[in-house]
């Protein structure tokens, strides 16, 4: 067991677009935080080189002596084996197929490395220092370009038999519904990710309005603007999204009986128009005994949940807790 006292870890939240890296203390303070565009277009080798040089840059900028950095935690997008630190084959990254990223980073950076799926890392961060602090069970749902989920049970990430646990985005909410990127139909993600919401809003506006003058909305901010202007068609779709999310959350509440569900990501900026129908639907569908202790809250850490979860993951491993 490595002794951790007054020491720090390097933590990375790797995304398909941006990567954030920080030095985090064992009590969860973020010391040096940098953000860069992820170099992933040129394939796996280039992306690994980018991660290694970025890590070295953060350590250098922190001005901490290298022996103070006792490990590195990584939150990585896509399916992976958290035990071995092997990345399977992320759908959004070119050329990655069963890559032993943990071993590679350990060899390059000469520190212990722990890798966790990004949604699980976010859940762990919220449980450690965010909305779920003090709870023993939590389900964290990320609502952004995709819909992801992470499960914390008794203070630990629940991975399942083959590291797939928590994939709420690809649970079916509507039989024979919209086609999803995973190949299935009627998945939650097809309705509640940012692209899915935009498509449904644009389809509804097109049906209502004048086809010749129609300009499709391109981002969630434009949807927000139309909600503020009181557009009834857009409001109906956002409320319907809340209901669909509520159905999926009621299912997970009946299955896992968690103390808390934490929601984060750009889609949650829709505010009460999304959250009210969502909560109503959960209360209506889940068992009363399961909803009595339940809290449904928004993330308190926002963008830092992944960094703090990645840090907590390596800290726990170094302290021999997992
Ligand atoms: Zn799907």
């Amino acid at each position: 067991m490595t002794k951790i006292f007054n020491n720090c870890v390097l933590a990375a939240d790797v995304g398909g677009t941006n990567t954030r890296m920080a030095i985090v203390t064992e009590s969860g303070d973020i010391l040096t935080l940098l953000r860069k565009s992820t170099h992933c277009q040129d394939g796996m080798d280039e992306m690994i080189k980018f991660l290694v040089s970025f890590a070295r840059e953060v350590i250098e900028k922190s001005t901490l002596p290298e022996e103070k950095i006792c490990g590195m935690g990584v939150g990585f997008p896509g399916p992976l084996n958290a035990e071995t630190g092997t990345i399977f084959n992320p759908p959004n990254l070119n050329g990655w197929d069963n890559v032993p990223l943990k071993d590679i980073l350990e060899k390059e950076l000469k520190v212990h490395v722990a890798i966790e799926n990004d949604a699980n890392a976010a859940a762990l961060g919220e449980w450690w220092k965010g909305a779920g602090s003090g709870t023993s069970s939590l389900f964290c749902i990320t609502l952004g370009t995709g819909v992801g989920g992470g499960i914390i049970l008794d203070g630990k990430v629940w991975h399942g038999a083959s590291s797939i646990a928590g994939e709420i985005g690809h649970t079916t909410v509507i039989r024979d519904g919209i086609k999803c990127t995973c190949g299935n139909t009627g998945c939650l993600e097809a309705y509640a990710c940012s692209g899915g919401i935009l498509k449904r809003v644009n389809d509804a506006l097109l049906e209502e309005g004048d086809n010749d003058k129609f300009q499709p909305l391109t981002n969630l901010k434009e949807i927000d603007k139309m909600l503020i202007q009181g557009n009834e068609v857009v409001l109906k779709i956002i409320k319907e999204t809340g209901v669909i999310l509520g159905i999926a959350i009621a299912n997970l509440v009946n299955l896992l009986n968690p103390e808390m569900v934490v929601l984060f990501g750009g889609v949650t900026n829709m505010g009460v128009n999304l959250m009210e129908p969502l909560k109503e639907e959960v209360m209506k569908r889940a068992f009363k005994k399961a909803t009595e202790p339940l809290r449904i809250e928004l993330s308190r850490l926002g963008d830092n949940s992944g960094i703090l979860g990645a840090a907590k993951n390596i800290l726990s491993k170094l302290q021999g807790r997992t």
Side-chain angles (χ1 to χ4, degrees):
M1 192 195 298
T2 310
K3 192 181 173 214
I4 307 272
F5 183 69
N6 277 338
N7 280 330
C8 302
V9 291
L10 184 61
D13 181 13
V14 182
T17 311
N18 292 307
T19 294
R20 302 165 89 244
M21 279 203 206
I23 302 289
V24 180
T25 68
E26 60 191 306
S27 49
D29 295 316
I30 296 175
L31 300 184
T32 307
L33 174 64
L34 297 180
R35 192 179 96 151
K36 281 176 188 267
S37 297
T38 308
H39 289 230
C40 58
Q41 297 79 3
D42 298 324
M44 180 197 74
D45 289 339
E46 280 304 308
M47 187 164 159
I48 291 173
K49 270 188 212 158
F50 159 75
L51 293 174
V52 170
S53 74
F54 193 6
R56 288 186 178 135
E57 187 184 334
V58 175
I59 294 170
E60 205 181 302
K61 286 232 162 90
S62 75
T63 67
L64 285 167
E66 272 194 32
E67 61 273 18
K68 277 277 184 191
I69 315 282
C70 357
M72 180 185 192
V74 180
F76 197 89
L80 55 88
N81 183 326
E83 199 68 41
T84 61
T86 306
I87 313 297
F88 298 147
N89 50 356
N92 301 323
L93 295 176
N94 251 340
W96 289 71
D97 190 11
N98 283 311
V99 179
L101 185 62
K102 175 182 184 296
D103 294 346
I104 295 170
L105 292 176
E106 284 184 340
K107 205 172 145 202
E108 291 285 342
L109 297 167
K110 313 276 187 292
V111 289
H112 291 294
V113 174
I115 299 182
E116 188 52 272
N117 163 280
D118 54 357
N120 290 344
L124 196 56
E126 287 294 337
W127 171 79
W128 187 35
K129 293 287 166 188
S133 178
T135 62
S136 68
S137 55
L138 168 158
F139 198 110
C140 184
I141 304 176
T142 55
L143 296 165
T145 47
V147 175
I151 307 169
I152 305 293
L153 293 178
D154 296 327
K156 287 183 184 173
V157 173
W158 174 257
H159 293 102
S162 53
S163 307
I164 299 300
E167 289 287 356
I168 191 168
H170 301 284
T171 53
T172 304
V173 284
I174 298 189
R175 188 187 176 200
D176 299 328
I178 300 173
K179 180 106 174 148
C180 179
T181 51
C182 74
N184 208 342
T185 53
C187 291
L188 176 64
E189 181 169 296
Y191 292 83
C193 73
S194 50
I197 294 173
L198 270 168
K199 185 176 183 317
R200 288 168 48 242
V201 164
N202 281 328
D203 287 351
L205 288 171
L206 190 59
E207 206 170 295
E208 290 288 315
D210 181 345
N211 291 12
D212 294 337
K213 288 183 190 157
F214 180 68
Q215 290 285 333
L217 307 184
T218 56
N219 59 58
L220 295 181
K221 279 188 185 144
E222 289 175 347
I223 292 183
D224 270 343
K225 217 164 130 188
M226 292 193 82
L227 283 174
I228 292 164
Q229 289 164 356
N231 186 297
E232 289 294 324
V233 178
V234 177
L235 183 63
K236 186 170 166 262
I237 298 293
I238 299 308
K239 283 187 169 175
E240 185 187 85
T241 308
V243 169
I244 292 169
L245 273 163
I247 291 170
I249 293 171
N251 289 340
L252 83 85
V253 165
N254 275 350
L255 277 173
L256 293 176
N257 190 193
E259 280 179 66
M260 177 172 271
V261 172
V262 183
L263 304 170
F264 92 99
V267 171
T268 60
N269 295 336
M270 303 286 165
V272 289
N273 293 318
L274 182 87
M275 292 302 288
E276 264 181 19
L278 181 157
K279 286 183 179 172
E280 267 172 32
E281 203 64 24
V282 175
M283 297 307 151
K284 205 165 79 187
R285 287 178 185 266
F287 279 169
K288 195 167 178 284
K289 267 283 176 203
T291 57
E292 273 168 0
L294 177 70
R295 287 185 288 152
I296 301 175
E297 291 189 13
L298 297 181
S299 156
R300 272 192 219 154
L301 301 175
D303 284 347
N304 287 340
S305 56
I307 286 268
L308 286 169
K312 181 60 181 165
N313 187 32
I314 183 66
L315 283 164
S316 297
K317 284 197 161 57
L318 292 170
Q319 288 163 339
R321 287 187 197 152
T322 58

